[in-house]
Amino acid sequence: MLAAMPDSAPSPLSAGGPALRDGGDACPGTLRLHRADDGALARVRVPGGVLSADRAEALLAAAGRFGDGELHLTSRGNVQLRGLGAECGGGLAELLAGAGLLPSAAHERARNIVASPLAGLDGSPALGERLAELDALVCASAAAASLSGRFLFALDDGRGDVDALGADVTLIADGDAFLLRIGPGDEVFRIPAAEGPRAALRAAEAFLRAARDSGAWRVKDLPAPVRSELVRAVGAAVGPAEHRPRPRTAKAPEPGTHGTGDAVETTPGSGAAPETTPGSTDAPETTPGPGYAPETTPGSTDALPDAHRHANPHGPAHTAAPDHPPQAPPASAAALAVDVPLGRLTPGQWRLLTATARRYGGELRLTPWRGIVVPGPFTGAEAADALGALAAAGLITSPDSPWTGVGACIGRPGCAKSLADVRAEAGAALGPAGRLPVYWSGCERRCGHPHGEWIDVVATPDGHRISYVRGERRDPPATVRDDPAALAAAGPAARPLTL
């Protein structure tokens, strides 16, 4: 059985080589598949979440040819293919490489880059050229091939959305400069915009040197003195530090229209790095989520605060009802944004998104909140028609959808470690949208959970434990017995939370 196999196993095309850290890096890729109960899993890195329509079609072809046909969005704007055959690695890699989605075999798990999905579309700075440059630099660096699949770069257009995700190296647009942040600290360093991508790569390479003794995979995992010295050394090379606290909560683009039709920037290369020189070669992520409540007794119904999420007072919701497009569309729009219930896209939904992209801006932008931005431009009528079609297909096109902010790991039956079918439970407990994301996890690993503030719902042998998370802080949990009715009743009886 696949469940009895190692968590991750190299495919025939994997570069292989010894692990640089004790236990190895089990993050899956396209050359190293993860074994799950529903088959093998591949994670395809999509830097910045940017996909051309052609590459989107290639991903759908890969899902249909080798997997279960569906595409799963991750909390880093990547795509996972599930239900793969154990021996499909070579064919999958060949298909993706032919589409430009695998520019460097050695770096395929190191190309973890998130970017502000509305950059250049709503009056914010465009990041496309810098994104393509950073991806190319990573793929051309021999040292960067040793980065863990957990290591994360972020390109923020200044609004703080991806800065709040706690990346290891973050570039924040600020006028004609970038602010460079290393790890989760509040110190940033101002550098000319043209030097940003190279400075980010150098910071990542400096991290690798700093991590040699500890075996840390991420900056936050370094011993505190080592982390402080890393930040000091990077700063000494670029300039004096400035104080800029990292945003506490990441704000995803709201479903609907954004910007005006005269402000549209698409990304050079649409997500793949340029060709590299010869010789170059979050445990699966899943979906968004939230949770908190004061300490309660088992079976208590005052678990989820009103500020976060209410359960459905009319009973379980097994499928997402189509949302309605805005009643008064703007005269034009630069982009449309949709969210994806539990991050899972059917072949029909993916085809519709790809066709919409091909008709208008030519690309899709996958967000770290398991949503998709479709750049335009669109006239008001075109935006309304497109949103109507996407809503009819079951995608979230309005911020008041009960699915907004709800996430879950794959749960049963896909994961042997899960204690519950948390996706079904999340759907059964739907209600009016809350302020914070709610994330349902089948076990303590919490694969793919959000960052910043969120509501954490974890299946346990005795039921579900619900807590409110603020960064590294976690309030005392509430316990709800393992009963769908008790979970569905938790929200309406909850007290509002004062933050």
Side-chain angles (χ1 to χ4, degrees):
M1 293 177 59
L2 288 175
M5 297 181 182
D7 278 348
S8 297
S11 83
L13 292 185
S14 176
L20 296 182
R21 300 162 179 81
D22 292 343
D25 178 8
C27 277
T30 55
L31 302 181
R32 183 183 181 93
L33 305 182
H34 172 84
R35 309 295 191 186
D37 269 15
D38 58 352
L41 175 154
R43 183 176 303 155
V44 184
R45 266 63 178 190
V46 184
V50 180
L51 278 174
S52 69
D54 286 345
R55 288 176 182 149
E57 288 184 350
L59 282 172
L60 179 62
R65 186 179 307 176
F66 302 109
D68 61 10
E70 295 184 334
L71 299 101
H72 298 252
L73 305 184
T74 78
S75 60
R76 292 184 169 189
N78 295 319
V79 174
Q80 288 186 168
L81 309 179
R82 300 190 69 95
L84 301 170
E87 305 303 324
C88 78
L92 176 64
E94 183 178 2
L95 188 158
L96 296 177
L101 288 162
L102 187 59
S104 171
H107 297 81
E108 62 114 358
R109 292 188 298 158
R111 300 171 67 225
N112 289 306
I113 308 173
V114 295
S116 298
L118 290 174
L121 297 175
D122 60 354
S124 57
L127 298 174
E129 291 185 4
R130 304 304 180 197
L131 170 62
E133 182 182 356
L134 176 57
D135 189 21
L137 287 169
V138 169
C139 288
S141 166
S146 297
L147 288 171
S148 161
R150 296 169 173 81
F151 193 91
L152 182 64
F153 295 93
L155 285 177
D156 192 292
D157 63 6
R159 77 184 72 214
D161 55 353
V162 297
D163 186 19
L165 297 180
D168 298 282
V169 177
T170 303
L171 290 173
I172 307 157
D174 189 60
D176 60 354
F178 273 123
L179 303 177
L180 173 66
R181 188 190 306 279
I182 310 300
D186 291 339
E187 286 185 321
V188 296
F189 304 95
R190 184 174 298 274
I191 53 179
E195 299 177 14
R198 190 165 295 279
L201 174 66
R202 288 173 176 162
E205 293 173 338
F207 160 78
L208 287 171
R209 294 190 292 271
R212 284 173 182 163
D213 292 337
S214 66
W217 278 315
R218 303 198 60 188
V219 171
K220 67 180 182 179
D221 300 328
L222 290 169
V226 178
R227 185 169 62 246
S228 297
E229 176 57 24
L230 170 65
V231 174
R232 187 206 63 78
V234 171
V238 297
E242 300 178 19
H243 183 75
R244 179 171 173 139
R246 184 166 61 86
R248 187 172 68 171
T249 301
K251 183 172 176 57
E254 284 195 346
T257 60
H258 292 268
T260 58
D262 58 357
V264 176
E265 177 265 350
T266 55
T267 304
S270 292
E275 290 293 325
T276 57
T277 55
S280 67
T281 52
D282 195 182
E285 298 176 43
T286 43
T287 324
Y292 162 81
E295 190 78 53
T296 62
T297 57
S300 170
T301 59
D302 54 345
L304 291 181
D306 290 344
H308 307 313
R309 182 73 45 192
H310 298 284
N312 185 349
H314 306 294
H318 299 289
T319 59
D323 296 303
H324 298 287
Q327 294 182 351
S332 64
L336 308 179
V338 298
D339 287 342
V340 180
L342 300 181
R344 189 173 78 178
L345 287 150
T346 66
Q349 290 171 329
W350 190 266
R351 287 191 192 95
L352 178 59
L353 285 161
T354 302
T356 305
R358 193 175 293 284
R359 182 176 179 183
Y360 296 101
E363 73 179 29
L364 299 172
R365 299 187 183 182
L366 315 182
T367 80
W369 303 278
R370 297 175 176 85
I372 297 180
V373 170
V374 186
F378 301 85
T379 66
E382 289 170 339
D385 288 347
L387 285 174
L390 294 167
L395 297 172
I396 302 168
T397 61
S398 170
D400 60 3
S401 166
W403 281 104
T404 299
V406 177
C409 71
I410 198 64
R412 288 181 178 173
C415 177
K417 294 182 173 65
S418 180
L419 299 178
D421 184 352
V422 287
R423 293 192 165 211
E425 292 176 338
L430 284 179
R435 186 179 68 82
L436 293 179
V438 180
Y439 198 79
W440 297 67
S441 299
C443 74
E444 298 289 348
R445 295 186 304 164
R446 298 177 174 84
C447 295
H449 69 76
H451 296 273
E453 290 184 279
W454 52 290
I455 304 301
D456 181 32
V457 183
V458 180
T460 69
D462 301 320
H464 292 74
R465 188 172 62 251
I466 304 173
S467 55
Y468 169 41
V469 179
R470 287 173 284 183
E472 300 301 317
R473 297 172 56 192
R474 181 182 299 272
D475 283 11
T479 299
V480 177
R481 68 179 183 273
D482 194 7
D483 180 333
L487 283 171
R495 296 185 296 273
L497 182 68
T498 302
L499 297 179

